[in-house]
Amino acid sequence: MKQLYLSNHNLMGSVPDTFRHLQNLTHFELSNTQMNGFFPEFLVGLPQVSQLMMRSNMFQGTLSPDAAPSKSLRNLYLDNNTFTGTYISKKYLTL
């Protein structure tokens, strides 16, 4: 699977850990849902991912400055969540 679009659905809970196995994923959109918990940092490290759009959810906590973004990551949209602390490289973020 290369693209997964789950935005604007009434999804709840946290992002399943099994998503870490989507090694060919290039685009992932999970915006405007009711997803919560801590941001699944493994998503920024998926080897092919170039765009993660996870706006307007209820993710919380901190984003580790040590999270290693994939070299292919170009766009990371995390605005309208409840993060605190230091964010990973602002080169990748639209907040």
Coordinates of all heavy atoms in Angstrom, one line a residue:
M1 N 0.8 -1.2 0.0 CA 0.0 0.0 0.0 C 0.9 1.2 0.0 O 1.8 1.4 0.8 CB -0.9 0.0 1.2 CG -1.8 1.2 1.4 SD -2.8 1.3 2.8 CE -3.4 -0.4 3.0
K2 N 0.6 2.2 -0.9 CA 1.4 3.4 -1.0 C 0.7 4.6 -0.4 O 1.4 5.5 0.1 CB 1.7 3.6 -2.5 CG 2.7 2.7 -3.0 CD 3.4 3.2 -4.2 CE 4.5 2.3 -4.7 NZ 5.8 2.7 -4.2
Q3 N -0.6 4.6 -0.5 CA -1.3 5.8 0.1 C -2.5 5.3 0.9 O -3.2 4.4 0.6 CB -1.9 6.6 -1.1 CG -0.8 7.2 -2.0 CD -1.3 8.0 -3.2 OE1 -2.5 8.1 -3.4 NE2 -0.3 8.5 -3.9
L4 N -2.7 6.0 2.0 CA -3.8 5.7 3.0 C -4.4 7.0 3.4 O -3.8 7.9 4.0 CB -3.2 4.9 4.2 CG -4.2 4.4 5.2 CD1 -5.3 3.6 4.6 CD2 -3.5 3.7 6.3
Y5 N -5.7 7.2 3.1 CA -6.4 8.4 3.4 C -7.6 8.1 4.3 O -8.5 7.4 3.9 CB -6.9 9.1 2.1 CG -5.8 9.5 1.2 CD1 -5.5 8.7 0.1 CD2 -5.1 10.7 1.4 CE1 -4.5 9.0 -0.8 CE2 -4.1 11.0 0.5 CZ -3.8 10.2 -0.6 OH -2.8 10.6 -1.4
L6 N -7.5 8.5 5.6 CA -8.5 8.2 6.6 C -9.1 9.5 7.2 O -9.7 9.4 8.2 CB -7.9 7.3 7.7 CG -7.4 5.9 7.2 CD1 -6.7 5.2 8.3 CD2 -8.5 5.1 6.7
S7 N -8.9 10.6 6.6 CA -9.3 11.9 7.1 C -10.9 12.0 7.1 O -11.5 11.3 6.2 CB -8.7 13.0 6.3 OG -7.3 13.1 6.5
N8 N -11.4 12.8 8.0 CA -12.8 13.1 8.0 C -13.7 11.9 8.3 O -14.8 11.9 7.8 CB -13.2 13.9 6.8 CG -12.4 15.1 6.5 OD1 -12.3 16.0 7.4 ND2 -11.8 15.3 5.4
H9 N -13.2 11.0 9.1 CA -14.0 9.9 9.5 C -14.2 9.9 11.0 O -13.3 10.5 11.7 CB -13.4 8.5 9.0 CG -13.5 8.3 7.6 ND1 -13.8 9.2 6.6 CD2 -13.2 7.2 6.9 CE1 -13.8 8.7 5.4 NE2 -13.4 7.5 5.5
N10 N -15.1 9.3 11.5 CA -15.3 9.3 13.0 C -14.5 8.2 13.6 O -15.0 7.3 14.3 CB -16.8 9.1 13.3 CG -17.2 9.4 14.7 OD1 -16.4 10.1 15.4 ND2 -18.2 8.8 15.2
L11 N -13.2 8.3 13.4 CA -12.3 7.3 14.0 C -11.9 7.7 15.4 O -11.7 8.9 15.7 CB -11.0 7.2 13.1 CG -11.3 6.7 11.7 CD1 -10.0 6.8 10.9 CD2 -11.9 5.3 11.6
M12 N -11.7 6.8 16.3 CA -11.3 7.0 17.7 C -10.2 6.1 18.1 O -10.0 5.0 17.5 CB -12.5 6.8 18.6 CG -13.6 7.8 18.4 SD -14.8 7.6 19.7 CE -16.3 7.5 18.8
G13 N -9.5 6.5 19.1 CA -8.4 5.7 19.7 C -7.1 6.1 19.2 O -6.9 7.2 18.8
S14 N -6.1 5.2 19.3 CA -4.8 5.6 18.9 C -4.4 4.9 17.6 O -5.1 3.9 17.2 CB -3.8 5.1 20.0 OG -3.9 3.7 20.3
V15 N -3.4 5.4 17.0 CA -2.9 4.8 15.7 C -2.4 3.4 16.0 O -1.5 3.2 16.9 CB -1.8 5.6 15.1 CG1 -1.3 5.0 13.8 CG2 -2.4 7.0 14.7
P16 N -2.8 2.3 15.3 CA -2.4 1.0 15.6 C -0.9 0.8 15.4 O -0.3 1.4 14.4 CB -3.1 0.1 14.6 CG -4.3 0.9 14.2 CD -3.9 2.4 14.3
D17 N -0.2 0.1 16.3 CA 1.2 -0.1 16.2 C 1.5 -0.9 14.9 O 2.6 -0.8 14.4 CB 1.7 -0.9 17.4 CG 3.2 -0.9 17.5 OD1 3.9 0.1 17.5 OD2 3.8 -2.1 17.5
T18 N 0.6 -1.6 14.4 CA 0.8 -2.4 13.2 C 1.1 -1.6 11.9 O 1.6 -2.0 10.9 CB -0.3 -3.4 12.9 OG1 -1.5 -2.6 12.8 CG2 -0.5 -4.4 13.9
F19 N 0.7 -0.3 12.0 CA 1.0 0.6 10.9 C 2.5 0.8 10.7 O 2.9 1.2 9.6 CB 0.4 2.0 11.2 CG -1.1 2.1 10.9 CD1 -1.9 1.0 10.9 CD2 -1.7 3.3 10.5 CE1 -3.3 1.1 10.6 CE2 -3.0 3.4 10.3 CZ -3.8 2.3 10.3
R20 N 3.3 0.4 11.6 CA 4.8 0.5 11.4 C 5.3 -0.4 10.3 O 6.4 -0.3 9.8 CB 5.5 0.3 12.7 CG 5.6 -1.1 13.2 CD 6.5 -1.3 14.5 NE 6.1 -0.5 15.6 CZ 6.8 0.5 16.1 NH1 8.0 0.8 15.6 NH2 6.4 1.2 17.1
H21 N 4.4 -1.4 10.0 CA 4.8 -2.4 8.9 C 4.4 -1.9 7.5 O 4.7 -2.6 6.5 CB 4.1 -3.7 9.2 CG 4.5 -4.3 10.5 ND1 5.8 -4.7 10.8 CD2 3.8 -4.5 11.6 CE1 5.8 -5.1 12.1 NE2 4.6 -5.0 12.6
L22 N 3.9 -0.7 7.4 CA 3.5 -0.1 6.1 C 4.8 0.5 5.4 O 4.8 1.7 5.2 CB 2.4 0.9 6.2 CG 1.1 0.3 6.8 CD1 0.1 1.4 7.0 CD2 0.5 -0.7 5.9
Q23 N 5.7 -0.3 5.2 CA 7.0 0.2 4.7 C 7.0 0.9 3.3 O 8.0 1.6 3.0 CB 8.0 -1.0 4.7 CG 8.3 -1.5 6.1 CD 9.0 -0.6 7.0 OE1 10.1 0.0 6.7 NE2 8.4 -0.3 8.1
N24 N 6.0 0.7 2.5 CA 5.9 1.3 1.2 C 5.0 2.5 1.2 O 4.8 3.1 0.1 CB 5.4 0.3 0.2 CG 6.4 -0.9 0.0 OD1 7.6 -0.6 -0.1 ND2 5.9 -2.1 -0.1
L25 N 4.5 2.9 2.3 CA 3.6 4.0 2.4 C 4.3 5.3 2.0 O 5.4 5.6 2.6 CB 3.1 4.1 3.8 CG 1.8 5.0 4.1 CD1 0.6 4.4 3.3 CD2 1.5 5.1 5.5
T26 N 3.7 6.1 1.1 CA 4.3 7.4 0.7 C 3.4 8.6 1.3 O 4.0 9.6 1.5 CB 4.4 7.5 -0.8 OG1 3.1 7.4 -1.4 CG2 5.3 6.5 -1.4
H27 N 2.1 8.4 1.3 CA 1.2 9.4 1.8 C 0.3 8.9 2.8 O -0.4 7.8 2.6 CB 0.4 10.0 0.6 CG 1.2 10.8 -0.3 ND1 2.0 10.2 -1.3 CD2 1.3 12.1 -0.5 CE1 2.6 11.2 -2.0 NE2 2.2 12.3 -1.5
F28 N 0.2 9.5 4.0 CA -0.8 9.1 5.0 C -1.5 10.3 5.5 O -0.9 11.3 5.9 CB 0.0 8.4 6.1 CG -0.9 7.9 7.3 CD1 -2.0 7.1 7.0 CD2 -0.6 8.3 8.6 CE1 -2.8 6.6 8.0 CE2 -1.4 7.8 9.6 CZ -2.5 7.0 9.3
E29 N -2.8 10.3 5.4 CA -3.7 11.4 5.9 C -4.6 10.8 6.9 O -5.4 9.9 6.7 CB -4.4 12.1 4.8 CG -3.5 12.8 3.8 CD -4.3 13.7 2.8 OE1 -5.5 14.0 3.1 OE2 -3.6 14.0 1.8
L30 N -4.6 11.5 8.1 CA -5.4 11.1 9.2 C -5.8 12.4 10.0 O -5.4 12.6 11.1 CB -4.7 10.1 10.2 CG -5.5 9.6 11.3 CD1 -6.6 8.7 10.9 CD2 -4.6 8.8 12.3
S31 N -6.5 13.3 9.3 CA -6.9 14.6 9.8 C -8.4 14.6 10.1 O -9.1 13.9 9.5 CB -6.5 15.7 8.8 OG -5.1 15.8 8.7
N32 N -8.7 15.5 11.1 CA -10.1 15.7 11.4 C -10.8 14.4 11.8 O -11.9 14.1 11.4 CB -10.9 16.4 10.2 CG -10.3 17.7 9.8 OD1 -10.0 18.5 10.6 ND2 -10.0 17.8 8.5
T33 N -10.2 13.7 12.7 CA -10.8 12.5 13.3 C -10.8 12.7 14.8 O -10.5 13.8 15.3 CB -10.0 11.3 13.0 OG1 -8.7 11.3 13.6 CG2 -9.8 11.1 11.5
Q34 N -11.0 11.7 15.6 CA -11.0 11.8 17.0 C -9.9 10.9 17.6 O -10.0 10.4 18.7 CB -12.3 11.4 17.6 CG -13.5 12.3 17.2 CD -14.8 11.9 17.8 OE1 -14.8 11.6 19.0 NE2 -15.8 12.0 17.0
M35 N -8.8 10.7 16.8 CA -7.7 9.9 17.2 C -7.0 10.7 18.4 O -6.9 11.9 18.4 CB -6.7 9.7 16.1 CG -7.3 9.0 14.9 SD -7.9 7.4 15.3 CE -6.4 6.4 15.4
N36 N -6.5 9.9 19.3 CA -5.9 10.5 20.5 C -4.7 9.7 20.9 O -4.2 8.8 20.3 CB -6.9 10.6 21.6 CG -7.5 9.3 22.0 OD1 -6.9 8.2 21.9 ND2 -8.7 9.3 22.6
G37 N -4.2 10.0 22.1 CA -3.0 9.4 22.6 C -1.7 10.1 22.1 O -1.8 11.2 21.7
F38 N -0.6 9.4 22.3 CA 0.7 10.0 21.9 C 0.9 9.8 20.4 O 0.4 8.8 19.8 CB 1.8 9.3 22.6 CG 1.7 9.6 24.1 CD1 1.3 8.7 25.0 CD2 2.1 10.9 24.6 CE1 1.2 9.0 26.4 CE2 2.1 11.2 25.9 CZ 1.6 10.2 26.8
F39 N 1.5 10.8 19.8 CA 1.8 10.7 18.4 C 2.7 9.5 18.1 O 3.7 9.3 18.7 CB 2.5 12.0 17.9 CG 2.9 12.0 16.5 CD1 2.0 12.1 15.5 CD2 4.2 11.8 16.1 CE1 2.3 12.1 14.2 CE2 4.6 11.8 14.8 CZ 3.6 12.0 13.8
P40 N 2.3 8.7 17.1 CA 3.1 7.5 16.7 C 4.4 7.9 15.9 O 4.4 8.0 14.7 CB 2.1 6.7 15.9 CG 1.2 7.7 15.3 CD 1.1 8.8 16.3
E41 N 5.4 8.2 16.7 CA 6.7 8.7 16.0 C 7.3 7.8 15.0 O 8.0 8.2 14.1 CB 7.7 9.0 17.1 CG 7.3 10.2 17.9 CD 8.3 10.6 18.9 OE1 9.4 10.0 19.0 OE2 8.1 11.6 19.6
F42 N 6.9 6.5 15.0 CA 7.5 5.6 14.0 C 7.0 6.0 12.6 O 7.7 5.7 11.6 CB 7.1 4.1 14.3 CG 5.6 3.8 14.3 CD1 4.9 3.6 13.1 CD2 4.9 3.8 15.5 CE1 3.6 3.3 13.1 CE2 3.5 3.5 15.5 CZ 2.9 3.3 14.3
L43 N 5.9 6.7 12.5 CA 5.4 7.1 11.2 C 6.4 8.0 10.4 O 6.5 7.9 9.2 CB 4.1 7.8 11.3 CG 2.9 6.9 11.7 CD1 1.6 7.7 11.9 CD2 2.6 5.8 10.6
V44 N 7.1 8.9 11.2 CA 8.0 9.8 10.5 C 9.2 9.1 10.0 O 9.9 9.6 9.1 CB 8.4 11.0 11.4 CG1 7.2 11.9 11.8 CG2 9.2 10.6 12.6
G45 N 9.5 7.9 10.5 CA 10.6 7.2 10.1 C 10.4 6.1 9.0 O 11.3 5.4 8.6
L46 N 9.1 6.0 8.5 CA 8.8 5.0 7.5 C 9.7 5.4 6.2 O 9.7 6.6 5.8 CB 7.3 5.0 7.1 CG 6.4 4.4 8.2 CD1 5.0 4.6 7.8 CD2 6.7 3.0 8.5
P47 N 10.3 4.5 5.6 CA 11.4 4.8 4.6 C 10.9 5.5 3.4 O 11.6 6.3 2.8 CB 12.0 3.4 4.3 CG 11.0 2.4 4.7 CD 10.2 3.0 5.9
Q48 N 9.6 5.3 3.0 CA 9.1 5.9 1.7 C 8.2 7.1 2.0 O 7.8 7.8 1.0 CB 8.4 4.9 0.9 CG 9.2 3.6 0.6 CD 10.4 3.9 -0.3 OE1 10.3 4.7 -1.2 NE2 11.5 3.4 0.0
V49 N 7.8 7.4 3.2 CA 6.8 8.4 3.5 C 7.3 9.8 3.1 O 8.4 10.2 3.5 CB 6.3 8.3 4.9 CG1 7.3 8.8 5.9 CG2 5.0 9.0 5.1
S50 N 6.5 10.5 2.3 CA 6.9 11.9 2.0 C 5.9 12.9 2.6 O 6.2 14.0 2.7 CB 7.0 12.0 0.5 OG 5.7 11.8 -0.1
Q51 N 4.7 12.4 2.9 CA 3.7 13.3 3.5 C 2.9 12.6 4.5 O 2.3 11.6 4.3 CB 2.7 13.8 2.4 CG 1.7 14.8 3.0 CD 0.9 15.5 1.9 OE1 1.5 16.2 1.1 NE2 -0.4 15.3 1.9
L52 N 2.9 13.3 5.7 CA 2.0 12.8 6.8 C 1.1 14.0 7.2 O 1.6 15.1 7.5 CB 2.9 12.5 8.1 CG 3.7 11.2 8.0 CD1 4.5 11.0 9.2 CD2 2.8 10.0 7.8
M53 N -0.1 13.8 7.1 CA -1.1 14.9 7.4 C -2.0 14.4 8.5 O -2.8 13.5 8.3 CB -1.9 15.3 6.2 CG -2.9 16.4 6.4 SD -3.7 17.0 5.0 CE -2.4 17.7 4.0
M54 N -1.7 14.9 9.7 CA -2.4 14.4 10.9 C -3.0 15.6 11.7 O -2.8 15.7 12.9 CB -1.5 13.5 11.7 CG -1.0 12.3 10.9 SD 0.1 11.3 11.7 CE -1.0 10.4 12.8
R55 N -3.6 16.5 11.0 CA -4.1 17.7 11.6 C -5.4 17.5 12.4 O -6.2 16.5 12.1 CB -4.4 18.8 10.6 CG -3.3 19.3 9.8 CD -3.8 20.1 8.7 NE -2.7 21.1 8.3 CZ -2.6 21.6 7.1 NH1 -3.5 21.3 6.1 NH2 -1.6 22.4 6.8
S56 N -5.7 18.3 13.4 CA -7.0 18.4 14.0 C -7.5 17.1 14.6 O -8.5 16.5 14.2 CB -8.1 18.9 13.0 OG -7.7 20.2 12.6
N57 N -6.6 16.5 15.4 CA -6.9 15.3 16.2 C -6.8 15.7 17.6 O -6.8 16.8 18.0 CB -6.0 14.2 15.8 CG -6.4 13.6 14.4 OD1 -7.4 13.1 14.2 ND2 -5.5 13.8 13.4
M58 N -6.6 14.7 18.5 CA -6.4 14.9 19.9 C -5.1 14.3 20.4 O -5.0 13.8 21.5 CB -7.6 14.4 20.7 CG -8.9 15.1 20.4 SD -10.3 14.6 21.3 CE -10.8 13.1 20.3
F59 N -4.1 14.3 19.5 CA -2.8 13.7 19.9 C -2.2 14.7 21.0 O -2.4 15.9 21.0 CB -1.8 13.6 18.7 CG -2.2 12.6 17.7 CD1 -2.6 13.0 16.5 CD2 -2.3 11.3 18.1 CE1 -3.0 12.0 15.5 CE2 -2.7 10.3 17.2 CZ -3.0 10.7 15.9
Q60 N -1.5 14.1 21.9 CA -1.0 14.9 23.0 C 0.5 14.4 23.4 O 1.0 13.5 22.8 CB -1.8 14.6 24.3 CG -1.9 13.2 24.7 CD -2.9 12.9 25.7 OE1 -3.8 13.7 26.0 NE2 -2.8 11.7 26.3
G61 N 1.0 15.1 24.4 CA 2.4 14.8 24.8 C 3.4 15.5 24.1 O 3.2 16.6 23.5
T62 N 4.6 15.0 24.1 CA 5.8 15.6 23.4 C 6.1 14.9 22.2 O 5.8 13.7 22.0 CB 7.0 15.7 24.4 OG1 7.3 14.3 24.7 CG2 6.7 16.5 25.6
L63 N 6.8 15.6 21.3 CA 7.4 14.9 20.1 C 8.9 14.9 20.4 O 9.5 16.0 20.6 CB 7.1 15.7 18.9 CG 5.6 15.8 18.5 CD1 5.4 16.7 17.3 CD2 5.1 14.4 18.1
S64 N 9.5 13.8 20.3 CA 10.9 13.7 20.7 C 11.8 14.4 19.6 O 11.6 14.2 18.4 CB 11.3 12.2 20.7 OG 12.7 12.1 20.8
P65 N 12.7 15.2 20.1 CA 13.6 15.8 19.1 C 14.6 14.8 18.5 O 15.2 15.1 17.5 CB 14.4 16.9 20.0 CG 14.2 16.5 21.4 CD 12.9 15.7 21.4
D66 N 14.6 13.6 19.1 CA 15.4 12.5 18.6 C 14.7 11.7 17.5 O 15.3 10.8 17.0 CB 15.9 11.6 19.7 CG 16.7 12.4 20.7 OD1 17.5 13.3 20.3 OD2 16.6 12.1 21.9
A67 N 13.4 11.9 17.3 CA 12.7 11.1 16.3 C 13.4 11.4 14.9 O 13.6 12.5 14.5 CB 11.3 11.6 16.2
A68 N 13.8 10.3 14.3 CA 14.6 10.5 13.0 C 13.6 10.4 11.8 O 13.1 9.4 11.4 CB 15.6 9.3 12.9
P69 N 13.4 11.6 11.2 CA 12.5 11.6 10.0 C 13.2 10.9 8.9 O 14.4 10.9 8.7 CB 12.4 13.1 9.7 CG 12.9 13.8 10.9 CD 13.8 12.9 11.6
S70 N 12.4 10.2 8.1 CA 12.8 9.6 6.9 C 13.4 10.6 5.9 O 13.0 11.8 5.9 CB 11.6 8.9 6.2 OG 11.8 8.7 4.9
K71 N 14.4 10.3 5.1 CA 15.0 11.2 4.2 C 14.0 11.6 3.1 O 14.1 12.6 2.5 CB 16.2 10.6 3.5 CG 17.4 10.4 4.5 CD 18.6 9.9 3.8 CE 19.7 9.7 4.8 NZ 20.9 9.2 4.3
S72 N 12.9 10.8 2.9 CA 11.9 11.2 1.9 C 10.8 12.1 2.5 O 10.0 12.6 1.7 CB 11.3 9.9 1.4 OG 10.6 9.1 2.4
L73 N 10.7 12.3 3.8 CA 9.7 13.1 4.4 C 9.9 14.6 4.0 O 10.9 15.2 4.2 CB 9.7 13.0 5.9 CG 8.6 13.7 6.7 CD1 7.3 13.1 6.3 CD2 8.8 13.6 8.2
R74 N 8.8 15.1 3.4 CA 8.8 16.5 2.9 C 7.8 17.3 3.6 O 8.0 18.5 3.8 CB 8.6 16.6 1.4 CG 9.6 15.9 0.6 CD 10.9 16.6 0.6 NE 12.0 15.9 0.0 CZ 13.0 15.3 0.6 NH1 13.1 15.3 1.9 NH2 13.9 14.7 -0.1
N75 N 6.7 16.8 4.0 CA 5.6 17.5 4.6 C 5.0 16.7 5.8 O 4.6 15.6 5.7 CB 4.4 17.8 3.6 CG 4.9 18.6 2.4 OD1 5.3 19.7 2.6 ND2 4.8 18.0 1.3
L76 N 5.0 17.4 7.0 CA 4.5 16.9 8.2 C 3.5 17.9 8.8 O 4.0 19.0 9.2 CB 5.6 16.5 9.2 CG 5.2 16.0 10.5 CD1 4.4 14.7 10.4 CD2 6.4 15.7 11.4
Y77 N 2.3 17.6 8.8 CA 1.2 18.6 9.2 C 0.6 18.0 10.5 O 0.0 17.0 10.5 CB 0.1 18.7 8.2 CG 0.6 19.2 6.9 CD1 0.9 18.3 5.8 CD2 0.8 20.6 6.7 CE1 1.4 18.8 4.6 CE2 1.3 21.0 5.4 CZ 1.6 20.1 4.4 OH 2.0 20.6 3.2
L78 N 0.9 18.8 11.6 CA 0.4 18.3 12.9 C -0.3 19.4 13.7 O -0.6 19.3 14.9 CB 1.7 17.9 13.8 CG 2.5 16.8 13.2 CD1 3.7 16.6 14.1 CD2 1.7 15.5 13.2
D79 N -0.8 20.4 13.0 CA -1.4 21.5 13.7 C -2.8 21.1 14.3 O -3.3 20.1 13.9 CB -1.6 22.7 12.8 CG -2.2 22.4 11.5 OD1 -1.7 21.5 10.7 OD2 -3.3 23.0 11.1
N80 N -3.2 21.8 15.3 CA -4.5 21.6 16.0 C -4.5 20.2 16.7 O -5.5 19.5 16.6 CB -5.7 21.7 15.0 CG -5.8 23.1 14.5 OD1 -5.7 24.1 15.2 ND2 -6.1 23.3 13.2
N81 N -3.5 20.0 17.4 CA -3.4 18.9 18.3 C -2.9 19.5 19.7 O -2.8 20.7 19.7 CB -2.4 17.8 17.9 CG -2.9 16.9 16.7 OD1 -3.7 16.1 17.0 ND2 -2.5 17.2 15.5
T82 N -2.7 18.7 20.7 CA -2.3 19.3 22.0 C -0.9 18.9 22.4 O -0.7 18.4 23.5 CB -3.4 18.9 23.0 OG1 -3.5 17.5 23.1 CG2 -4.7 19.5 22.7
F83 N 0.0 19.1 21.5 CA 1.4 18.7 21.8 C 2.0 19.7 22.8 O 1.7 20.9 22.8 CB 2.3 18.6 20.6 CG 1.8 17.6 19.6 CD1 1.4 17.9 18.4 CD2 1.9 16.2 20.0 CE1 1.0 16.9 17.5 CE2 1.5 15.2 19.1 CZ 1.1 15.6 17.9
T84 N 3.0 19.3 23.5 CA 3.8 20.1 24.4 C 5.3 19.8 24.2 O 5.6 18.8 23.6 CB 3.5 19.9 25.9 OG1 3.7 18.5 26.2 CG2 2.0 20.2 26.2
G85 N 6.1 20.7 24.6 CA 7.6 20.5 24.6 C 8.2 20.8 23.3 O 7.7 21.6 22.5
T86 N 9.4 20.2 23.0 CA 10.2 20.5 21.8 C 9.7 19.7 20.7 O 9.4 18.5 20.8 CB 11.6 20.2 22.1 OG1 12.0 20.9 23.3 CG2 12.5 20.6 20.9
Y87 N 9.6 20.2 19.5 CA 9.3 19.5 18.3 C 10.5 19.0 17.5 O 11.6 19.6 17.6 CB 8.4 20.4 17.4 CG 7.1 20.7 18.0 CD1 6.8 21.9 18.5 CD2 6.0 19.8 18.0 CE1 5.6 22.3 19.1 CE2 4.8 20.1 18.5 CZ 4.6 21.3 19.1 OH 3.4 21.6 19.6
I88 N 10.3 18.0 16.7 CA 11.4 17.6 15.8 C 11.7 18.7 14.8 O 10.9 19.7 14.8 CB 11.0 16.3 15.1 CG1 9.8 16.4 14.3 CG2 10.9 15.1 16.1 CD1 9.4 15.2 13.5
S89 N 12.7 18.6 14.1 CA 13.2 19.6 13.2 C 12.0 20.4 12.5 O 11.2 19.8 11.8 CB 14.1 19.0 12.1 OG 14.4 20.0 11.2
K90 N 12.0 21.7 12.7 CA 11.0 22.5 12.1 C 11.0 22.5 10.6 O 10.1 22.9 9.9 CB 11.1 24.0 12.6 CG 10.7 24.0 14.1 CD 10.5 25.5 14.5 CE 10.2 25.5 16.0 NZ 8.9 25.1 16.4
K91 N 12.1 22.0 10.0 CA 12.2 21.9 8.5 C 11.0 21.1 8.0 O 10.6 21.3 6.9 CB 13.5 21.2 8.2 CG 13.7 20.8 6.7 CD 15.0 20.1 6.5 CE 15.1 19.7 5.0 NZ 16.2 18.9 4.8
Y92 N 10.6 20.1 8.8 CA 9.5 19.2 8.4 C 8.1 19.6 8.8 O 7.2 18.9 8.5 CB 9.8 17.8 8.9 CG 11.1 17.3 8.4 CD1 12.3 17.3 9.2 CD2 11.3 16.8 7.1 CE1 13.5 16.9 8.7 CE2 12.5 16.3 6.6 CZ 13.6 16.3 7.4 OH 14.8 15.9 7.0
L93 N 8.0 20.6 9.7 CA 6.7 20.8 10.4 C 6.0 22.0 9.8 O 6.5 23.0 9.5 CB 6.9 21.0 11.9 CG 7.4 19.9 12.7 CD1 7.6 20.3 14.1 CD2 6.5 18.7 12.6
T94 N 4.7 21.8 9.8 CA 3.7 22.9 9.6 C 2.8 22.8 10.8 O 2.1 21.9 10.9 CB 2.9 22.7 8.3 OG1 3.8 22.7 7.2 CG2 1.9 23.9 8.1
L95 N 3.0 23.8 11.6 CA 2.2 23.8 12.9 C 1.2 24.9 12.9 O 1.3 25.9 12.3 CB 3.1 24.0 14.1 CG 4.1 22.9 14.3 CD1 5.1 23.2 15.4 CD2 3.4 21.6 14.6

